[in-house]
């Protein structure tokens, strides 16, 4: 019994717990001190929180693509961030057409604007989904039975291919996504002043997240995808078309990434060939944070990461007396990942994998 | 089985690293020894010079570059020509190309320009310098574009003994009196940010601003420039209420701006680059408390691409940049050639500095090149650097240039501009009534 325990709790585990504990104490000290200084008003904190949710919901949309592909193929699709970038480009080109035809001119939200935004999002989602399917068909399917490292390296290659194709096609400069007059300024919701673009982004992403959840849980195709992710061979024996399920997974993941690209472009109004790299990396982090392979986990992880990035530098580092804390935003995000993985190696909601994990 | 596979992979990787390191390592030995024997390898590498060139042996302690009788003189550029800051580097590159066209020949030889992308980052500068320092025909380099890239590139280029003259590095460190010994080969025609930061502080204080905030992106350039500004502003009697920082790839600036807003500034100096700068300017209009703060950038975002990145929010913003209206007589002609050569290229701040940098190199080469009987040239590396850094009262386009012992060659003239129109197609900086951005100070 005691021997068993000793084997389970090794030296490294204890060391990790100690490191984790120290970090936790530092975090708590930082938070308490910041709040005691009281430099920021309640409105500042809610602002930071809302900025975090809007950023986090975009992360969540991208993270879903990572997590779904991981769930079904056990591979990290590193080109996913570039699918997101492609979606932003498709959305940008469509938006430019609408802008030229005066769809964005009206000072208030009207039918024309809503129609334009929906079409822009649909075009971006369709374009990105098409690209994702092509990628799967050309780059990943031939390697389905290859060792796990092979598709991973291929994915990195595909990522570079996409980035530099867009660089070659559209140049390296930053393209400004059209500014929509009706979405300028703030709107009051439950007494909280929120930027209108952020309202659009948050609402749109939550609608998509719920739609995806229903699709995976309720629809026949969604159940087929779950079956394939549990056991490809058994699913095939039960009459499920494995190739088609995998294709649909890429399609859905790509469409979400494409839509996320448009939302991101709405928020930050910059479109360029390398824009997918960092959001992709962050979304991957979010997927791991939430528990990779777990769809609800990706959503939670994305939101958590977004809020942490926006809130924590101010909340934790400011109290510790660290100057210019926002340059440490990324370091903090990844530190958070380490912390979560120390205490919960399978992520916040746990890795949902079949017992027959490769 | 598995283990042996790993072993093979490990061996391959080690071999790859060794091979990758080789080109960088080879030029280094030439700097170690003073006698001609050690450097004869360099002088005889050219097939054209051969062993007939006995009359012009290389006696330079750092080695020599030999240009064959019918070969062109090779001058390099190391600038950011891709990514969000590409206009900064392309602008300088065009300046150097026009200078080469105007000059035609150096010491009777044709001119060949080669170049590498510095990516405006330390990694990019390192890679570019590794590649260029391996070129034993390279006489000198114009570059880099960005100070962070310079810090990585300078020791490599100086190790290979190739003089570097930058048209747009402005960080004070690079030419400070206590700069490292392995910066000996470096100089610049760009202004030192000690001048630019102070100019902006004087303008801001003079215009009635008293509480300033700054932001940098962790790059050498931005960090030092905002510090110079902050020091000068405090010295003048103003108050620095916040000094923030972001990452160069960050997009969500609103949390950082919320912090700045809480400090209550009336002036916000953001001497950063295009991508992050565009985000800061756009989002400043969306954060409560920042709407009416005067925004000001520096020469790193003094380009039409910045208007593309920032959109309408850039309206009324200030910029510090070289004062084109005080440039020498040759400037209008240069501008005409530039527009004829690259009609689509938007002007940035440093084309004229690159033009002057090229001419300092060319003058240096003509002063020290030994002409051999067979028509080849032997150019001593140390001699070339010495000739360049002893440039005195050279009347270039950017002013009358005299290099200090630590390589500051500029005749710095800084103006503050205001953005009058956010359409990037109307980018036309100057001091005229229809200029955009328009000079407003001094």
């Amino acid at each position: 019994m005691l021997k068993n325990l000793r084997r389970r709790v090794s030296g490294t585990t204890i060391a990790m717990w100690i490191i984790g504990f120290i970090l936790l104490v530092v975090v708590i000290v930082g938070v308490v001190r910041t709040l005691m200084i009281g430099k920021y008003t309640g409105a500042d904190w809610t602002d930071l929180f809302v900025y975090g949710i809007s950023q986090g919901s975009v992360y969540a949309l991208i993270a879903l693509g990572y997590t779904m592909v991981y769930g079904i193929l056990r591979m990290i699709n590193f080109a996913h961030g570039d699918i997101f970038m492609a979606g932003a480009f498709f959305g940008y080109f469509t938006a430019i057409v609408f802008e030229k035809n005066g769809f964005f001119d009206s000072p208030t939200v009207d039918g024309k604007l809503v129609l334009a935004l929906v079409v822009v999002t649909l075009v971006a989602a369709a374009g990105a989904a098409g690209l994702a399917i092509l990628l799967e068909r050309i780059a990943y399917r031939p390697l389905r039975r290859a060792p796990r490292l092979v598709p991973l390296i291929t994915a990195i290659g595909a990522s570079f291919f996409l980035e530099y194709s867009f660089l070659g096609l559209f140049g390296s400069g930053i393209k400004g996504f059209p500014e929509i007059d009706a979405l300028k300024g703030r709107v009051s919701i439950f007494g909280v002043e929120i930027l209108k673009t952020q309202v659009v982004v948050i609402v749109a992403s939550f609608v998509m997240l719920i739609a995806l959840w229903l699709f995976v849980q309720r629809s026949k195709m969604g159940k087929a995808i779950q079956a394939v992710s549990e056991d490809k061979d058994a699913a095939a024996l039960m009459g499920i078309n494995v190739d088609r399920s995998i294709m649909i997974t890429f399609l859905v993941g790509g469409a979400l990434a494409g839509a996320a690209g448009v939302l991101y472009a709405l928020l930050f109004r910059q479109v360029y060939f390398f824009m997918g790299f960092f959001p992709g990396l962050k979304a991957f982090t979010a997927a791991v944070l939430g528990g990779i392979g777990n769809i609800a986990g990706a959503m939670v992880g994305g939101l958590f990461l977004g809020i942490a990035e926006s809130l924590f530098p101010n909340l934790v580092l400011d109290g510790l007396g660290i100057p210019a804390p926002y340059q440490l935003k990324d370091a903090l995000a990844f530190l958070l990942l380490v912390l979560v993985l120390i205490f919960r190696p399978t992520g916040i909601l746990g890795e949902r994998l079949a017992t027959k994990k490769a | 089985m598995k283990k042996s596979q790993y072993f093979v992979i490990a061996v391959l990787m080690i071999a790859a690293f060794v091979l990758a390191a080789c080109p960088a390592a080879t030029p280094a030995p030439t700097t170690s020894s003073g006698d001609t024997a050690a450097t004869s390898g360099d002088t005889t590498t050219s097939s054209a010079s051969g062993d007939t060139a006995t009359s012009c042996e290389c006696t330079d302690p750092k080695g020599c570059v030999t240009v064959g009788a019918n070969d062109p003189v090779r001058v390099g550029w190391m600038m950011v020509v891709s990514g969000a800051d590409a206009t900064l580097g392309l602008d300088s590159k065009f300046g150097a190309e026009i200078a080469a066209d105007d000059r035609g020949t150096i010491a009777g030889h044709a001119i060949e320009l080669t170049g590498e992308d510095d990516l405006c980052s330390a990694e990019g500068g390192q890679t570019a310098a590794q590649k260029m320092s391996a070129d034993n025909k390279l006489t000198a380099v114009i570059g880099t574009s960005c100070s962070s890239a310079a810090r990585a590139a300078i020791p490599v280029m100086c190790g290979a003994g190739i003089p570097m003259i930058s048209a747009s590095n402005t960080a004070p460190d690079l030419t400070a009196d206590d700069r490292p010994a392995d910066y000996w080969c470096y100089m610049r025609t760009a202004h030192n940010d000690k001048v630019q930061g102070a100019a902006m502080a004087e303008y801001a204080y003079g215009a009635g601003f008293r509480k300033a905030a700054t932001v940098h992106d962790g790059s050498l350039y931005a960090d030092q420039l905002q510090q110079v500004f902050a020091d000068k502003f405090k010295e003048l009697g103003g108050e620095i209420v916040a000094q923030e920082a972001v990452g160069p790839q960050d997009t969500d600036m609103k949390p950082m701006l919320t912090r700045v807003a809480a400090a209550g500034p009336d002036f916000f100096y953001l001497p950063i680059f295009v991508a992050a700068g565009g985000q800061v300017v756009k989002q400043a209009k969306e954060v409560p408390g920042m709407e009416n703060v005067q925004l000001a950038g520096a020469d790193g975002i003094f380009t039409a691409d910045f208007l593309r990145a920032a959109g309408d929010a850039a309206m009324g913003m200030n910029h510090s940049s070289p004062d084109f209206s005080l440039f020498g007589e040759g400037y209008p002609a240069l501008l005409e050639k530039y527009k004829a050569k690259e009609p689509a290229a938007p002007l940035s701040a440093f084309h004229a500095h690159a033009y002057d940098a090229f001419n300092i190199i060319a003058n240096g080469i003509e002063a020290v090149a030994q002409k051999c009987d067979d028509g080849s040239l032997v150019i001593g590396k140390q001699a070339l650097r010495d000739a360049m850094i002893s440039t005195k009262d050279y009347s270039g386009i950017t002013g009358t240039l005299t290099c200090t012992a630590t390589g500051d060659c500029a005749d710095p003239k800084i103006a503050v501009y205001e953005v009058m129109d956010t359409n990037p197609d109307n980018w036309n900086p100057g001091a005229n009534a229809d200029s955009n951005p328009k000079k407003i100070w001094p």
Side-chain angles (χ1 to χ4, degrees), chain A residues 40 44 47-48 51 55 172 174 176 186 195 198 264 268-270 272 278 310 314 318 324-327 329, chain B residues 82-84 243-245 249-252 254-256 258-259 262 275 279 282-283 286-288 308-309 312:
Chain A
Y40 304 96
D44 286 343
D47 273 351
L48 290 176
Y51 300 150
Q55 175 81 67
S172 64
I174 291 175
R186 293 179 170 241
L195 285 170
Q198 292 188 324
Y264 195 82
F268 301 116
R269 299 199 295 278
Q270 285 188 357
Y272 65 107
F278 276 96
S310 165
N314 233 346
D318 200 34
Y326 276 98
Q327 65 181 333
K329 188 175 82 171
Chain B
S82 71
Q243 283 176 291
E244 289 297 327
Q249 308 277 353
D250 284 1
T251 47
D252 197 359
K254 291 189 280 292
M256 181 276 293
T258 305
R259 265 182 77 81
Q279 293 296 6
K282 266 193 301 205
Q283 295 174 27
E286 299 174 342
V287 171
R308 253 174 225 116
D312 294 341

Side-chain angles (χ1 to χ4, degrees), chain A:
Chain A
M1 185 75 183
L2 201 73
K3 218 176 176 181
N4 230 339
L5 195 79
R6 198 177 299 150
R7 201 180 303 147
R8 275 220 320 264
V9 185
S10 66
T12 37
T13 316
I14 295 170
M16 291 311 254
W17 273 87
I18 293 173
I19 293 171
F21 184 74
I22 292 171
L23 285 174
L24 209 64
V25 169
V26 169
V27 166
I28 291 169
V29 169
V31 171
V32 169
R33 288 195 53 185
T34 309
L35 293 179
M36 274 169 60
I37 295 169
K39 200 162 104 190
Y40 304 96
T41 61
D44 286 343
W45 291 119
T46 43
D47 273 351
L48 290 176
F49 194 72
V50 174
Y51 300 150
I53 294 181
S54 70
Q55 175 81 67
S57 51
V58 175
Y59 287 158
L61 285 177
I62 313 173
L64 282 169
Y66 278 106
T67 233
M68 286 172 66
V69 168
Y70 185 85
I72 205 160
L73 286 181
R74 307 276 178 275
M75 71 167 272
I76 307 292
N77 179 13
F78 269 113
H80 193 63
D82 301 297
I83 300 282
F84 158 83
M85 175 270 293
F89 264 94
F90 294 133
Y92 165 75
F93 290 122
T94 323
I96 286 295
V97 173
F98 278 114
E99 191 195 24
K100 284 202 179 116
N101 291 307
F103 277 76
F104 295 155
D105 289 348
S106 97
T108 52
V109 178
D110 61 358
K112 255 169 44 177
L113 175 67
V114 173
L115 174 76
L117 282 183
V118 169
V119 172
V120 166
T121 313
L122 286 180
V123 169
L131 204 60
I133 292 175
L134 270 180
L135 198 65
E136 193 271 331
R137 186 67 195 83
I138 295 168
Y140 302 149
R141 195 179 293 184
L143 304 171
R144 185 90 41 85
R145 301 274 165 192
R148 292 176 74 181
L149 206 56
V150 176
L152 183 78
I153 302 295
T154 311
I156 295 172
S159 162
F160 281 126
F161 174 79
L162 287 176
E163 271 166 25
Y164 287 93
S165 304
F166 275 79
L167 169 69
L169 287 173
F170 307 116
S172 64
I174 291 175
K175 295 174 175 41
F177 197 81
E179 202 162 355
I180 298 165
D181 289 337
L183 295 181
K184 267 187 190 164
R186 293 179 170 241
V187 61
S188 182
I189 295 174
F190 304 125
V192 181
E193 296 274 311
I194 302 177
L195 285 170
K196 286 181 191 162
T197 43
Q198 292 188 324
V199 177
V200 173
V201 168
I202 293 170
V203 170
S205 19
F206 276 90
V207 167
M208 280 188 266
L209 293 179
I210 292 166
L212 178 85
W213 182 252
L214 291 177
F215 168 75
V216 173
Q217 295 296 326
R218 297 288 158 81
S219 78
K220 214 168 171 185
M221 199 64 235
K223 283 178 185 160
I225 288 174
Q226 282 185 317
V228 174
S229 84
E230 271 186 27
D231 191 326
K232 277 204 264 306
D233 298 326
L237 289 174
M238 293 297 138
I240 293 171
N241 186 338
V242 173
D243 277 346
R244 196 156 150 255
S245 301
I246 292 174
M247 201 189 80
I248 297 284
T249 307
F250 272 87
L251 184 144
V252 172
L256 288 176
V262 171
L263 296 181
Y264 195 82
L266 265 183
L267 271 183
F268 301 116
R269 299 199 295 278
Q270 285 188 357
V271 177
Y272 65 107
F273 76 102
F274 201 59
M275 68 181 283
F277 183 75
F278 276 96
L281 206 62
K282 291 287 173 58
F284 173 60
T285 309
V288 176
L289 257 179
I292 192 145
N294 184 331
I295 288 175
M299 300 178 188
V300 172
L303 285 173
F304 184 64
L305 189 68
I307 293 167
E309 275 190 353
S310 165
L311 210 54
F312 282 23
N314 233 346
L315 192 60
V316 180
L317 299 180
D318 200 34
L320 296 175
I322 293 170
Y326 276 98
Q327 65 181 333
L328 298 174
K329 188 175 82 171
D330 295 348
L332 205 68
F334 294 117
L335 186 74
L336 208 69
L337 178 70
V338 172
L339 259 181
V340 168
L341 292 184
I342 286 175
F343 289 106
R344 265 192 81 83
T346 52
I348 298 172
L349 293 193
E351 204 170 342
R352 190 170 297 169
L353 288 176
T355 40
K356 217 184 115 186
K357 191 173 154 187

Side-chain angles (χ1 to χ4, degrees), chain B residues 189 326-328 351-354 356 395-401 409-413:
Chain B
T189 53
L326 295 180
F327 278 1
H351 45 278
H353 298 80
D356 286 350
S395 76
I397 291 201
T398 58
T400 307
L401 307 185
C409 303
D411 181 5
K413 299 183 181 94

